[in-house]
Amino acid sequence: NAGVMQNPRHLVRRRGQEARLRCSPMKGHSHVYWYRQLPEEGLKFMVYLQKENIIDESGMPKERFSAEFPKEGPSILRIQQVVRGDSAAYFCASSPPGTVVVKNIQYFGAGTRLSVL
Amino acid sequence: AQTVTQSQPEMSVQEAETVTLSCTYDTSESDYYLFWYKQPPSRQMILVIRQEAYKQQNATENRFSVNFQKAAKSFSLKISDSQLGDAAMYFCAYTAASRLTFGEGTQLTVNP
C-alpha cells in the first residue's frame, strides 16, 4: 500500500519561472493538504482540498500560488513567477474520507524541496 | 488564533536514557487533537503519537508516551530507552478542524 507520493523530490527553478509540484494521495484518500516549511521553521498550512473542490485556502499567498485536486490524477500546487523567498520544502498530506475530518490522521509525503536561483 | 509553542530548540540524551520534549498550545476549543511528528534527515514526516483532548488517559505507543495536561494546555512527549534512530526533529501539532498547526520543532540528538 503505497504512501503519499510527491514528485519531484527536488525542483530547481530560476526567478520568474513556474513551479509545479505534484502529490498523489494514499489509496482511498480523498482529502489533500499542502504545507510549506521554510528553513529552520515548522510546517505552515497552505490549502486543504477535496476532489475538485478547494475547502480552505486561507494559508495560501494571494498571488502567484494556486492548487487543484482534479477528479482524476494528482493534486498540483502551482507557483507562478517564482521568487527566492519561495525556496522551501513543500509537503503534501492526505487523509481518508469521513464526516469528522478532525479525527482523521494526516499522512505525509516526503516533500518537494524547491530551490529558486 | 491557535498557537503551538516548543520552547526547546535542541535537546540531547544518552542512548538508553529517557528524555522529555515540551509543548504548550493555546486554544479556545474544547474538542481537538494533539500530535507529535518526527522528521529525520530524510525530511519524511512520521506520526509518533496522537492524543484526543476529550480523553483523560495519556496516549502511549511503545517507548513513546505523552503527558497531557488539558487545563495547563501542555502536551509533552517522553521517549524511554532512547535509541540512535530516535535522533530527529520533533514537531508538536494541534488541530480542531482540518488544518494542522505546528510548533517550531525540537532537534533531538542521541549520544551513543
PDB file of all heavy atoms in Angstrom, chain A residues 71-101:
ATOM      1  N   LYS A  71     -10.595  15.471 -10.505  1.00  0.00           N
ATOM      2  CA  LYS A  71     -11.286  14.192 -10.317  1.00  0.00           C
ATOM      3  C   LYS A  71     -10.351  13.017 -10.604  1.00  0.00           C
ATOM      4  O   LYS A  71     -10.391  11.986  -9.920  1.00  0.00           O
ATOM      5  CB  LYS A  71     -12.505  14.135 -11.242  1.00  0.00           C
ATOM      6  CG  LYS A  71     -13.378  12.919 -11.048  1.00  0.00           C
ATOM      7  CD  LYS A  71     -14.611  12.988 -11.952  1.00  0.00           C
ATOM      8  CE  LYS A  71     -15.503  11.768 -11.748  1.00  0.00           C
ATOM      9  NZ  LYS A  71     -16.701  11.830 -12.645  1.00  0.00           N
ATOM     10  N   GLU A  72      -9.535  13.174 -11.620  1.00  0.00           N
ATOM     11  CA  GLU A  72      -8.541  12.156 -11.961  1.00  0.00           C
ATOM     12  C   GLU A  72      -7.151  12.760 -11.874  1.00  0.00           C
ATOM     13  O   GLU A  72      -6.944  13.889 -12.303  1.00  0.00           O
ATOM     14  CB  GLU A  72      -8.777  11.626 -13.381  1.00  0.00           C
ATOM     15  CG  GLU A  72     -10.155  11.011 -13.614  1.00  0.00           C
ATOM     16  CD  GLU A  72     -10.347   9.709 -12.859  1.00  0.00           C
ATOM     17  OE1 GLU A  72      -9.326   9.067 -12.510  1.00  0.00           O
ATOM     18  OE2 GLU A  72     -11.512   9.337 -12.598  1.00  0.00           O
ATOM     19  N   GLY A  73      -6.211  12.002 -11.330  1.00  0.00           N
ATOM     20  CA  GLY A  73      -4.838  12.480 -11.298  1.00  0.00           C
ATOM     21  C   GLY A  73      -4.451  13.088  -9.967  1.00  0.00           C
ATOM     22  O   GLY A  73      -5.270  13.190  -9.036  1.00  0.00           O
ATOM     23  N   PRO A  74      -3.183  13.506  -9.872  1.00  0.00           N
ATOM     24  CA  PRO A  74      -2.668  14.010  -8.593  1.00  0.00           C
ATOM     25  C   PRO A  74      -3.132  15.435  -8.303  1.00  0.00           C
ATOM     26  O   PRO A  74      -3.640  16.138  -9.181  1.00  0.00           O
ATOM     27  CB  PRO A  74      -1.149  13.986  -8.817  1.00  0.00           C
ATOM     28  CG  PRO A  74      -0.990  14.219 -10.278  1.00  0.00           C
ATOM     29  CD  PRO A  74      -2.156  13.512 -10.924  1.00  0.00           C
ATOM     30  N   SER A  75      -2.922  15.835  -7.080  1.00  0.00           N
ATOM     31  CA  SER A  75      -3.097  17.229  -6.710  1.00  0.00           C
ATOM     32  C   SER A  75      -1.857  18.003  -7.180  1.00  0.00           C
ATOM     33  O   SER A  75      -0.737  17.484  -7.141  1.00  0.00           O
ATOM     34  CB  SER A  75      -3.254  17.361  -5.204  1.00  0.00           C
ATOM     35  OG  SER A  75      -3.311  18.724  -4.820  1.00  0.00           O
ATOM     36  N   ILE A  76      -2.073  19.228  -7.621  1.00  0.00           N
ATOM     37  CA  ILE A  76      -0.991  20.067  -8.126  1.00  0.00           C
ATOM     38  C   ILE A  76      -0.949  21.363  -7.328  1.00  0.00           C
ATOM     39  O   ILE A  76      -1.980  22.020  -7.149  1.00  0.00           O
ATOM     40  CB  ILE A  76      -1.186  20.420  -9.612  1.00  0.00           C
ATOM     41  CG1 ILE A  76      -1.350  19.161 -10.465  1.00  0.00           C
ATOM     42  CG2 ILE A  76      -0.034  21.291 -10.108  1.00  0.00           C
ATOM     43  CD1 ILE A  76      -0.102  18.350 -10.629  1.00  0.00           C
ATOM     44  N   LEU A  77       0.244  21.703  -6.865  1.00  0.00           N
ATOM     45  CA  LEU A  77       0.491  23.035  -6.292  1.00  0.00           C
ATOM     46  C   LEU A  77       1.327  23.788  -7.319  1.00  0.00           C
ATOM     47  O   LEU A  77       2.411  23.339  -7.708  1.00  0.00           O
ATOM     48  CB  LEU A  77       1.231  22.940  -4.961  1.00  0.00           C
ATOM     49  CG  LEU A  77       1.562  24.280  -4.293  1.00  0.00           C
ATOM     50  CD1 LEU A  77       0.279  24.993  -3.853  1.00  0.00           C
ATOM     51  CD2 LEU A  77       2.482  24.075  -3.086  1.00  0.00           C
ATOM     52  N   ARG A  78       0.814  24.915  -7.753  1.00  0.00           N
ATOM     53  CA  ARG A  78       1.457  25.675  -8.825  1.00  0.00           C
ATOM     54  C   ARG A  78       1.898  27.028  -8.291  1.00  0.00           C
ATOM     55  O   ARG A  78       1.117  27.739  -7.647  1.00  0.00           O
ATOM     56  CB  ARG A  78       0.453  25.860  -9.968  1.00  0.00           C
ATOM     57  CG  ARG A  78       0.987  26.590 -11.182  1.00  0.00           C
ATOM     58  CD  ARG A  78      -0.151  26.769 -12.183  1.00  0.00           C
ATOM     59  NE  ARG A  78       0.232  27.505 -13.361  1.00  0.00           N
ATOM     60  CZ  ARG A  78      -0.609  28.117 -14.172  1.00  0.00           C
ATOM     61  NH1 ARG A  78      -1.910  28.087 -13.908  1.00  0.00           N
ATOM     62  NH2 ARG A  78      -0.179  28.754 -15.237  1.00  0.00           N
ATOM     63  N   ILE A  79       3.153  27.347  -8.564  1.00  0.00           N
ATOM     64  CA  ILE A  79       3.691  28.645  -8.158  1.00  0.00           C
ATOM     65  C   ILE A  79       4.185  29.339  -9.421  1.00  0.00           C
ATOM     66  O   ILE A  79       5.100  28.867 -10.107  1.00  0.00           O
ATOM     67  CB  ILE A  79       4.862  28.510  -7.158  1.00  0.00           C
ATOM     68  CG1 ILE A  79       4.493  27.563  -6.010  1.00  0.00           C
ATOM     69  CG2 ILE A  79       5.238  29.876  -6.610  1.00  0.00           C
ATOM     70  CD1 ILE A  79       5.657  27.227  -5.086  1.00  0.00           C
ATOM     71  N   GLN A  80       3.562  30.459  -9.748  1.00  0.00           N
ATOM     72  CA  GLN A  80       3.950  31.207 -10.939  1.00  0.00           C
ATOM     73  C   GLN A  80       4.993  32.263 -10.565  1.00  0.00           C
ATOM     74  O   GLN A  80       5.004  32.787  -9.451  1.00  0.00           O
ATOM     75  CB  GLN A  80       2.717  31.883 -11.553  1.00  0.00           C
ATOM     76  CG  GLN A  80       1.682  30.896 -12.069  1.00  0.00           C
ATOM     77  CD  GLN A  80       0.459  31.603 -12.611  1.00  0.00           C
ATOM     78  OE1 GLN A  80      -0.323  32.161 -11.865  1.00  0.00           O
ATOM     79  NE2 GLN A  80       0.283  31.573 -13.922  1.00  0.00           N
ATOM     80  N   GLN A  81       5.860  32.563 -11.525  1.00  0.00           N
ATOM     81  CA  GLN A  81       6.850  33.636 -11.378  1.00  0.00           C
ATOM     82  C   GLN A  81       7.565  33.532 -10.032  1.00  0.00           C
ATOM     83  O   GLN A  81       7.523  34.453  -9.213  1.00  0.00           O
ATOM     84  CB  GLN A  81       6.168  34.997 -11.535  1.00  0.00           C
ATOM     85  CG  GLN A  81       5.524  35.172 -12.906  1.00  0.00           C
ATOM     86  CD  GLN A  81       4.747  36.485 -13.025  1.00  0.00           C
ATOM     87  OE1 GLN A  81       4.035  36.859 -12.103  1.00  0.00           O
ATOM     88  NE2 GLN A  81       4.921  37.154 -14.141  1.00  0.00           N
ATOM     89  N   VAL A  82       8.229  32.417  -9.816  1.00  0.00           N
ATOM     90  CA  VAL A  82       8.844  32.164  -8.519  1.00  0.00           C
ATOM     91  C   VAL A  82       9.881  33.227  -8.173  1.00  0.00           C
ATOM     92  O   VAL A  82      10.548  33.787  -9.043  1.00  0.00           O
ATOM     93  CB  VAL A  82       9.481  30.756  -8.456  1.00  0.00           C
ATOM     94  CG1 VAL A  82       8.425  29.677  -8.626  1.00  0.00           C
ATOM     95  CG2 VAL A  82      10.602  30.607  -9.487  1.00  0.00           C
ATOM     96  N   VAL A  83       9.990  33.475  -6.858  1.00  0.00           N
ATOM     97  CA  VAL A  83      10.995  34.388  -6.309  1.00  0.00           C
ATOM     98  C   VAL A  83      11.826  33.605  -5.290  1.00  0.00           C
ATOM     99  O   VAL A  83      11.442  32.507  -4.879  1.00  0.00           O
ATOM    100  CB  VAL A  83      10.333  35.615  -5.641  1.00  0.00           C
ATOM    101  CG1 VAL A  83       9.483  36.369  -6.651  1.00  0.00           C
ATOM    102  CG2 VAL A  83       9.483  35.200  -4.446  1.00  0.00           C
ATOM    103  N   ARG A  84      12.969  34.179  -4.893  1.00  0.00           N
ATOM    104  CA  ARG A  84      13.871  33.466  -3.982  1.00  0.00           C
ATOM    105  C   ARG A  84      13.167  33.105  -2.677  1.00  0.00           C
ATOM    106  O   ARG A  84      13.451  32.067  -2.079  1.00  0.00           O
ATOM    107  CB  ARG A  84      15.108  34.309  -3.708  1.00  0.00           C
ATOM    108  CG  ARG A  84      16.029  34.414  -4.903  1.00  0.00           C
ATOM    109  CD  ARG A  84      17.492  34.332  -4.494  1.00  0.00           C
ATOM    110  NE  ARG A  84      18.340  34.240  -5.691  1.00  0.00           N
ATOM    111  CZ  ARG A  84      19.078  35.231  -6.136  1.00  0.00           C
ATOM    112  NH1 ARG A  84      19.092  36.387  -5.503  1.00  0.00           N
ATOM    113  NH2 ARG A  84      19.814  35.068  -7.217  1.00  0.00           N
ATOM    114  N   GLY A  85      12.242  33.931  -2.227  1.00  0.00           N
ATOM    115  CA  GLY A  85      11.540  33.656  -0.979  1.00  0.00           C
ATOM    116  C   GLY A  85      10.613  32.447  -1.040  1.00  0.00           C
ATOM    117  O   GLY A  85      10.124  31.996  -0.005  1.00  0.00           O
ATOM    118  N   ASP A  86      10.386  31.916  -2.248  1.00  0.00           N
ATOM    119  CA  ASP A  86       9.572  30.701  -2.377  1.00  0.00           C
ATOM    120  C   ASP A  86      10.383  29.445  -2.102  1.00  0.00           C
ATOM    121  O   ASP A  86       9.817  28.355  -1.997  1.00  0.00           O
ATOM    122  CB  ASP A  86       8.986  30.605  -3.792  1.00  0.00           C
ATOM    123  CG  ASP A  86       8.032  31.740  -4.121  1.00  0.00           C
ATOM    124  OD1 ASP A  86       7.403  32.287  -3.182  1.00  0.00           O
ATOM    125  OD2 ASP A  86       7.898  32.085  -5.319  1.00  0.00           O
ATOM    126  N   SER A  87      11.695  29.582  -1.983  1.00  0.00           N
ATOM    127  CA  SER A  87      12.542  28.420  -1.693  1.00  0.00           C
ATOM    128  C   SER A  87      12.151  27.840  -0.341  1.00  0.00           C
ATOM    129  O   SER A  87      12.184  28.528   0.684  1.00  0.00           O
ATOM    130  CB  SER A  87      14.015  28.833  -1.677  1.00  0.00           C
ATOM    131  OG  SER A  87      14.442  29.248  -2.951  1.00  0.00           O
ATOM    132  N   ALA A  88      11.768  26.579  -0.346  1.00  0.00           N
ATOM    133  CA  ALA A  88      11.262  25.922   0.857  1.00  0.00           C
ATOM    134  C   ALA A  88      11.007  24.457   0.531  1.00  0.00           C
ATOM    135  O   ALA A  88      11.117  24.034  -0.625  1.00  0.00           O
ATOM    136  CB  ALA A  88       9.955  26.575   1.321  1.00  0.00           C
ATOM    137  N   ALA A  89      10.638  23.698   1.563  1.00  0.00           N
ATOM    138  CA  ALA A  89      10.153  22.335   1.359  1.00  0.00           C
ATOM    139  C   ALA A  89       8.631  22.384   1.391  1.00  0.00           C
ATOM    140  O   ALA A  89       8.048  22.984   2.304  1.00  0.00           O
ATOM    141  CB  ALA A  89      10.685  21.397   2.426  1.00  0.00           C
ATOM    142  N   TYR A  90       8.011  21.777   0.412  1.00  0.00           N
ATOM    143  CA  TYR A  90       6.551  21.763   0.321  1.00  0.00           C
ATOM    144  C   TYR A  90       6.075  20.329   0.554  1.00  0.00           C
ATOM    145  O   TYR A  90       6.470  19.408  -0.158  1.00  0.00           O
ATOM    146  CB  TYR A  90       6.094  22.271  -1.048  1.00  0.00           C
ATOM    147  CG  TYR A  90       6.376  23.744  -1.243  1.00  0.00           C
ATOM    148  CD1 TYR A  90       7.636  24.193  -1.644  1.00  0.00           C
ATOM    149  CD2 TYR A  90       5.389  24.692  -0.991  1.00  0.00           C
ATOM    150  CE1 TYR A  90       7.913  25.537  -1.784  1.00  0.00           C
ATOM    151  CE2 TYR A  90       5.651  26.044  -1.141  1.00  0.00           C
ATOM    152  CZ  TYR A  90       6.915  26.461  -1.532  1.00  0.00           C
ATOM    153  OH  TYR A  90       7.180  27.803  -1.672  1.00  0.00           O
ATOM    154  N   PHE A  91       5.229  20.194   1.563  1.00  0.00           N
ATOM    155  CA  PHE A  91       4.745  18.872   1.946  1.00  0.00           C
ATOM    156  C   PHE A  91       3.261  18.735   1.607  1.00  0.00           C
ATOM    157  O   PHE A  91       2.474  19.663   1.783  1.00  0.00           O
ATOM    158  CB  PHE A  91       4.931  18.634   3.445  1.00  0.00           C
ATOM    159  CG  PHE A  91       6.360  18.403   3.844  1.00  0.00           C
ATOM    160  CD1 PHE A  91       7.170  19.472   4.182  1.00  0.00           C
ATOM    161  CD2 PHE A  91       6.874  17.123   3.878  1.00  0.00           C
ATOM    162  CE1 PHE A  91       8.492  19.268   4.547  1.00  0.00           C
ATOM    163  CE2 PHE A  91       8.197  16.911   4.241  1.00  0.00           C
ATOM    164  CZ  PHE A  91       9.002  17.990   4.575  1.00  0.00           C
ATOM    165  N   CYS A  92       2.930  17.544   1.169  1.00  0.00           N
ATOM    166  CA  CYS A  92       1.549  17.174   0.934  1.00  0.00           C
ATOM    167  C   CYS A  92       1.173  16.107   1.959  1.00  0.00           C
ATOM    168  O   CYS A  92       2.005  15.268   2.330  1.00  0.00           O
ATOM    169  CB  CYS A  92       1.419  16.620  -0.485  1.00  0.00           C
ATOM    170  SG  CYS A  92      -0.150  15.846  -0.864  1.00  0.00           S
ATOM    171  N   ALA A  93      -0.063  16.169   2.430  1.00  0.00           N
ATOM    172  CA  ALA A  93      -0.587  15.143   3.324  1.00  0.00           C
ATOM    173  C   ALA A  93      -1.958  14.726   2.822  1.00  0.00           C
ATOM    174  O   ALA A  93      -2.641  15.500   2.138  1.00  0.00           O
ATOM    175  CB  ALA A  93      -0.682  15.665   4.755  1.00  0.00           C
ATOM    176  N   SER A  94      -2.355  13.507   3.142  1.00  0.00           N
ATOM    177  CA  SER A  94      -3.693  13.069   2.762  1.00  0.00           C
ATOM    178  C   SER A  94      -4.366  12.374   3.932  1.00  0.00           C
ATOM    179  O   SER A  94      -3.704  11.887   4.859  1.00  0.00           O
ATOM    180  CB  SER A  94      -3.648  12.148   1.539  1.00  0.00           C
ATOM    181  OG  SER A  94      -3.137  10.858   1.864  1.00  0.00           O
ATOM    182  N   SER A  95      -5.695  12.362   3.881  1.00  0.00           N
ATOM    183  CA  SER A  95      -6.463  11.659   4.906  1.00  0.00           C
ATOM    184  C   SER A  95      -7.687  11.035   4.244  1.00  0.00           C
ATOM    185  O   SER A  95      -8.098  11.459   3.158  1.00  0.00           O
ATOM    186  CB  SER A  95      -6.874  12.611   6.036  1.00  0.00           C
ATOM    187  OG  SER A  95      -7.754  13.601   5.585  1.00  0.00           O
ATOM    188  N   PRO A  96      -8.251  10.022   4.891  1.00  0.00           N
ATOM    189  CA  PRO A  96      -9.363   9.301   4.262  1.00  0.00           C
ATOM    190  C   PRO A  96     -10.649  10.114   4.326  1.00  0.00           C
ATOM    191  O   PRO A  96     -10.751  11.074   5.106  1.00  0.00           O
ATOM    192  CB  PRO A  96      -9.477   8.016   5.107  1.00  0.00           C
ATOM    193  CG  PRO A  96      -8.891   8.386   6.421  1.00  0.00           C
ATOM    194  CD  PRO A  96      -7.827   9.401   6.142  1.00  0.00           C
ATOM    195  N   PRO A  97     -11.654   9.751   3.535  1.00  0.00           N
ATOM    196  CA  PRO A  97     -12.943  10.447   3.606  1.00  0.00           C
ATOM    197  C   PRO A  97     -13.638  10.123   4.921  1.00  0.00           C
ATOM    198  O   PRO A  97     -13.382   9.105   5.545  1.00  0.00           O
ATOM    199  CB  PRO A  97     -13.708   9.870   2.414  1.00  0.00           C
ATOM    200  CG  PRO A  97     -13.095   8.533   2.173  1.00  0.00           C
ATOM    201  CD  PRO A  97     -11.652   8.677   2.542  1.00  0.00           C
ATOM    202  N   GLY A  98     -14.487  11.026   5.341  1.00  0.00           N
ATOM    203  CA  GLY A  98     -15.212  10.810   6.586  1.00  0.00           C
ATOM    204  C   GLY A  98     -15.927  12.071   6.967  1.00  0.00           C
ATOM    205  O   GLY A  98     -15.568  13.157   6.543  1.00  0.00           O
ATOM    206  N   THR A  99     -16.944  11.946   7.788  1.00  0.00           N
ATOM    207  CA  THR A  99     -17.736  13.118   8.134  1.00  0.00           C
ATOM    208  C   THR A  99     -17.081  13.961   9.205  1.00  0.00           C
ATOM    209  O   THR A  99     -17.381  15.137   9.337  1.00  0.00           O
ATOM    210  CB  THR A  99     -19.124  12.690   8.619  1.00  0.00           C
ATOM    211  OG1 THR A  99     -18.946  11.789   9.725  1.00  0.00           O
ATOM    212  CG2 THR A  99     -19.884  11.980   7.523  1.00  0.00           C
ATOM    213  N   VAL A 100     -16.173  13.377   9.983  1.00  0.00           N
ATOM    214  CA  VAL A 100     -15.500  14.128  11.038  1.00  0.00           C
ATOM    215  C   VAL A 100     -14.036  14.260  10.663  1.00  0.00           C
ATOM    216  O   VAL A 100     -13.207  13.442  11.022  1.00  0.00           O
ATOM    217  CB  VAL A 100     -15.645  13.446  12.410  1.00  0.00           C
ATOM    218  CG1 VAL A 100     -15.056  14.321  13.497  1.00  0.00           C
ATOM    219  CG2 VAL A 100     -17.107  13.151  12.699  1.00  0.00           C
ATOM    220  N   VAL A 101     -13.729  15.310   9.926  1.00  0.00           N
ATOM    221  CA  VAL A 101     -12.389  15.458   9.370  1.00  0.00           C
ATOM    222  C   VAL A 101     -11.336  15.548  10.470  1.00  0.00           C
ATOM    223  O   VAL A 101     -10.236  15.038  10.324  1.00  0.00           O
ATOM    224  CB  VAL A 101     -12.323  16.705   8.466  1.00  0.00           C
ATOM    225  CG1 VAL A 101     -10.901  16.948   7.974  1.00  0.00           C
ATOM    226  CG2 VAL A 101     -13.265  16.531   7.296  1.00  0.00           C
TER     227      VAL A 101
END
